[in-house]
Amino acid sequence: MQERHDAPLAPLTTFRLGGPATRLITAVTDAEVVEAVREADRAGTPLLIIGGGSNLVISDKGFDGTALRIATTGFDLQGTRLELAAGENWSDAVARTVDAGLAGVECLAGIPGSAGATPIQNVGAYGQDVSQTITEVVAYDRRTDETVTLTNAECVFTYRHSRFKQDPSRYVVLRVRFELEDAGGLSAPIRYAETARTLGVEQGDRVPALRARETVLKLRAGKGMVLDPEDHDTWSAGSFFTNPILTVAEHEAFLARVAERLGPDVMPPAFPAGDGTVKTSAAWLIDKAGFTKGYGEGRARISGKHTLALTNRGSASTEDLLALAREVRDGVHTAFGVTLVNEPVTVGVSL
């Protein structure tokens, strides 16, 4: 277990933003993770958990406490059952499952970050999310001081949400277990319209899993969603805002605002979200509110490839980023009456 003091945190995040931590511990085994958490809890020291750093917005002042970087390793594939250590690189793990001819996470290729973060956010893209394949999550329960195994149902997965996100100070994910599918080298049914169009197939069709993964990687790269140190459009946390889910009344009010602003013939994206609610597109809202690709003149700007990504152009501060985020959020609310919610976790700051 490595320990540093006054340690920079910006290099550990995909935004490359944020000040130093009073103390940074790097844990390479589950036991070291638990030991570090217990020590911080018993001392009453504030604790920040860092995996791949792809979903963090850290204050320019840094973190006054212990930052714990989870760098555990472990990829155990037995038939269709996969167990990943929390510190495993997620995108690399997806590639290995596809190489093994298995389906279930191939459309989650290229998503930055670590495996341990995926159940927290119920990571998803292109018609797949991890709740479809996760069977169990092994975590350290800080409240009871024991390691527990939670079933899929006990994780209470919903859209970009889970039990872990609901109670962020309780659990530290150690391992994630999946049940994948052996479809003879084919992908899971293609559910996302854009992916199906790009592949030249119908939604519900299967294609070779490798082809599905490569197609998703190209789509993501075209939107600046695959990390590239030389491309500032990828210095982001991916999608900065979640897609809003509206009640029937909220959706009707939203449609009225759209008609008033854009005309009665304009219909925004709408997808059933359960219980009568409707999910619409944050990217569409941002664009139609006037925040187009490349928007901004400062050190933080909207990506030139995708309106959902807010980016550090190389010398931005966290406050630069938050100022842009607030401008976008408030502009969308003024235009359409919908309040966007940030997807990344904020540390020492708020939107």
Side-chain angles (χ1 to χ4, degrees):
M1 188 157 56
Q2 299 176 356
E3 180 175 335
R4 297 172 59 194
H5 294 268
D6 196 28
L9 295 181
L12 302 181
T13 74
T14 53
F15 265 125
R16 295 167 173 80
L17 296 175
T22 305
R23 180 182 182 223
L24 172 65
I25 292 175
T26 299
V28 297
T29 67
D30 291 354
E32 288 182 355
V33 172
V34 172
E35 177 188 347
V37 175
R38 278 181 176 148
E39 178 189 304
D41 287 349
R42 288 170 181 171
T45 304
L47 181 67
L48 171 63
I49 305 295
I50 300 178
S54 61
N55 207 40
L56 285 178
V57 178
I58 300 173
S59 164
D60 291 318
K61 295 180 180 179
F63 184 71
D64 185 12
T66 295
L68 171 60
R69 178 172 171 260
I70 298 180
T72 54
T73 58
F75 179 100
D76 183 20
L77 183 60
Q78 303 290 333
T80 57
R81 295 180 180 181
L82 172 66
E83 179 178 284
L84 295 177
E88 279 288 329
N89 180 284
W90 172 251
S91 188
D92 290 347
V94 170
R96 293 176 71 177
T97 68
V98 171
D99 288 344
L102 299 177
V105 294
E106 62 280 359
C107 291
L108 303 179
I111 294 178
S114 61
T118 60
I120 297 171
Q121 192 76 3
N122 188 16
V123 163
Y126 296 100
Q128 288 181 347
D129 61 56
V130 292
S131 70
Q132 297 163 351
T133 49
I134 286 177
T135 57
E136 294 177 330
V137 175
V138 180
Y140 173 63
D141 186 339
R142 298 168 68 181
R143 185 177 302 169
T144 63
D145 188 23
E146 62 182 345
T147 298
V148 297
T149 300
L150 302 174
T151 65
N152 182 291
E154 289 171 328
C155 293
V156 196
F157 290 120
T158 56
Y159 172 67
R160 301 298 176 271
H161 204 72
S162 70
R163 179 176 186 170
F164 310 105
K165 191 173 181 181
Q166 180 68 33
D167 193 357
S169 64
R170 179 168 181 178
Y171 297 100
V172 178
V173 175
L174 301 175
R175 306 209 156 243
V176 189
R177 294 169 180 156
F178 302 81
E179 180 65 43
L180 303 176
E181 179 187 5
D182 185 351
L186 296 179
S187 69
I190 302 298
R191 296 186 174 93
Y192 199 69
E194 182 184 19
T195 314
R197 285 196 305 270
T198 305
L199 287 164
V201 300
E202 298 294 324
Q203 287 178 260
D205 288 349
R206 295 177 185 262
V207 300
L210 179 59
R211 185 180 168 207
R213 174 179 174 271
E214 291 174 344
T215 297
V216 165
L217 286 174
K218 289 178 182 177
L219 287 171
R220 290 185 62 85
K223 300 174 183 178
M225 298 292 188
V226 177
L227 293 179
D228 180 351
E230 304 302 318
D231 183 358
H232 289 294
D233 270 336
T234 72
W235 289 31
S236 75
S239 299
F240 194 88
F241 297 102
T242 58
N243 290 323
I245 296 178
L246 309 175
T247 65
V248 171
E250 289 170 340
H251 188 239
E252 289 177 353
F254 168 53
L255 292 178
R257 296 286 285 271
V258 171
E260 178 183 346
R261 182 181 177 91
L262 303 176
D265 296 329
V266 175
M267 291 301 296
F271 310 93
D275 297 326
T277 59
V278 178
K279 181 168 67 176
T280 191
S281 166
W284 187 93
L285 287 164
I286 293 167
D287 181 71
K288 299 304 181 185
F291 303 100
T292 53
K293 295 174 184 177
Y295 177 87
E297 297 180 352
R299 297 178 296 179
R301 303 177 196 173
I302 290 178
S303 166
K305 300 181 180 73
H306 200 287
T307 53
L308 260 186
L310 307 188
T311 65
N312 171 9
R313 306 316 295 180
S315 58
S317 67
T318 298
E319 281 305 312
D320 292 330
L321 175 76
L322 293 176
L324 175 63
R326 292 177 187 123
E327 182 184 3
V328 172
R329 179 199 61 190
D330 295 347
V332 166
H333 188 269
T334 298
F336 299 112
V338 176
T339 301
L340 296 178
V341 176
N342 53 290
E343 187 167 329
V345 175
T346 55
V347 179
V349 293
S350 62
L351 194 57

